[in-house]
Amino acid sequence: MQKSSNFQDKVAGSTDMETKQSDSLMRLQLFMARSGVASRRGSEAIILAGRVSVNGKVVTELGTKVSPHDEILVDGKKISLEEEKRYVLLNKPAGYVCSLADEKDRPVAADLLKEAYAERLYNVGRLDMFSSGLIIFTNDGEFAAKLSHPSAELEKEYIVDTSTAMPLNLAKDFMDGVRVDGVFYRCREAVELNSHRMRIVLIEGKNREIRRVFESREVGIKRLMRVRIGCIGVGNLQYGQFRNLTQEEVKSLLKLCKNNEY
């Protein structure tokens, strides 16, 4: 009788162990996102490009499941799950590119954070090289994907200073919608502060949207600065300075996203 009980205990223990192992498995793209490589969608593109190997074998199947015990390499570098999630707000100076590396060897915004953070952080959305202002860096791929997806409709506010006087109807036209080279651009709000300054609020932010609209009206931009992302303003942050977002700020940003499922 005692032997039977011991056998049942062993079977139960074995089953529990198998369940725990099964629970620890996750899709490769999710593992990469939680390791600070990129968002899940970005990680999928990296996998499909053949840049990921698991235990020495290149993997291109998106359904592949892995565990923290597997050796996973991206571009030959080992990755592992980040224990602490980071959410960092940077006031990017003009002249820095929003990329983890630049083939033209230009200054990279992420390098401004390297001495303060050991984790690999990547930018949520982008600012072009010549624009300045707020940008969020994180190692939380799901958070990044949520905020950066167009369906989030998260407001971004900009101040634009021009080198030439603006046409009187530019703000109204931008709110009504402007088509440039076959692409339709429309902002949520545009307010002319004076003849050389405008405040603009975007909810999607297509590539170089503000610059393309202004260039189409032959208005030169002297400075373009993002001063707000959702409920987060620039505050006292000077160019090149950064700070951690609070947990309340992170939750508030997610709540503002129209695609929020939390």
Side-chain angles (χ1 to χ4, degrees):
M1 190 73 176
Q2 184 66 36
K3 287 184 179 180
S4 175
S5 176
N6 288 342
F7 177 75
Q8 289 174 352
D9 288 344
K10 287 181 180 179
V11 170
S14 176
T15 302
D16 288 344
M17 184 175 295
E18 288 176 0
T19 300
K20 289 179 180 179
Q21 288 177 344
S22 176
D23 289 343
S24 69
L25 292 176
M26 67 180 74
R27 290 181 180 273
L28 179 57
Q29 56 266 43
L30 177 58
F31 185 96
M32 291 168 63
R34 291 182 177 177
S35 300
V37 175
S39 67
R40 272 190 283 184
R41 182 171 296 181
S43 295
E44 289 175 358
I46 294 172
I47 294 168
L48 292 173
R51 296 166 54 190
V52 183
S53 67
V54 178
N55 298 327
K57 182 181 178 181
V58 174
V59 173
T60 56
E61 293 290 333
L62 297 181
T64 301
K65 291 192 174 182
V66 297
S67 81
H69 305 293
D70 291 319
E71 182 180 61
I72 301 168
L73 307 182
V74 177
D75 295 332
K77 296 181 180 179
K78 186 175 180 179
I79 63 171
S80 56
L81 294 175
E82 300 280 9
E83 293 186 4
E84 184 173 0
K85 297 299 182 186
R86 295 285 189 184
Y87 310 91
V88 182
L89 183 71
L90 169 70
N91 188 354
K92 183 187 87 70
Y96 285 78
V97 296
C98 291
S99 176
L100 294 181
D102 185 66
E103 58 185 17
K104 297 180 181 178
D105 204 30
R106 295 172 295 185
V108 176
D111 288 346
L112 296 170
L113 309 176
K114 281 189 175 180
E115 290 188 8
Y117 301 96
E119 297 88 355
R120 178 176 177 174
L121 305 177
Y122 54 92
N123 45 284
V124 181
R126 291 176 179 268
L127 278 173
D128 69 58
M129 180 178 180
F130 301 106
S131 298
S132 60
L134 298 183
I135 188 161
I136 295 172
F137 283 80
T138 187
N139 58 353
D140 185 342
E142 294 175 76
F143 171 81
K146 180 81 59 183
L147 261 64
S148 58
H149 197 275
S151 64
E153 295 188 14
L154 188 65
E155 288 189 351
K156 290 96 173 177
E157 182 178 333
Y158 302 80
I159 297 295
V160 184
D161 291 322
T162 65
S163 56
T164 54
M166 292 178 283
L168 293 177
N169 60 342
L170 178 56
K172 181 182 182 302
D173 288 348
F174 201 172
M175 286 191 289
D176 291 340
V178 177
R179 190 170 295 278
V180 181
D181 296 331
V183 181
F184 186 72
Y185 301 103
R186 181 166 58 192
C187 66
R188 169 162 286 181
E189 185 179 354
V191 178
E192 187 176 320
L193 303 177
N194 59 49
S195 63
H196 287 71
R197 173 171 285 197
M198 186 180 291
R199 181 174 65 84
I200 297 171
V201 177
L202 302 179
I203 58 171
E204 182 176 348
K206 297 174 182 175
N207 183 38
R208 301 183 76 249
E209 178 166 353
I210 295 174
R211 293 189 183 276
R212 292 185 189 278
V213 170
F214 276 58
E215 287 169 2
S216 73
R217 301 301 172 89
E218 299 183 348
V219 178
I221 291 180
K222 185 166 61 176
R223 187 185 72 152
L224 198 166
M225 180 181 181
R226 184 192 284 164
V227 296
R228 178 173 64 88
I229 299 174
C231 54
I232 311 299
V234 66
N236 296 321
L237 277 184
Q238 302 300 308
Y239 291 133
Q241 292 184 338
F242 51 86
R243 68 172 178 85
N244 292 319
L245 293 177
T246 67
Q247 286 301 310
E248 285 305 311
E249 287 175 326
V250 171
K251 290 177 182 178
S252 296
L253 284 170
L254 289 171
K255 285 180 181 178
L256 286 174
C257 294
K258 296 291 181 67
N259 57 5
N260 179 45
E261 298 172 355
Y262 289 84

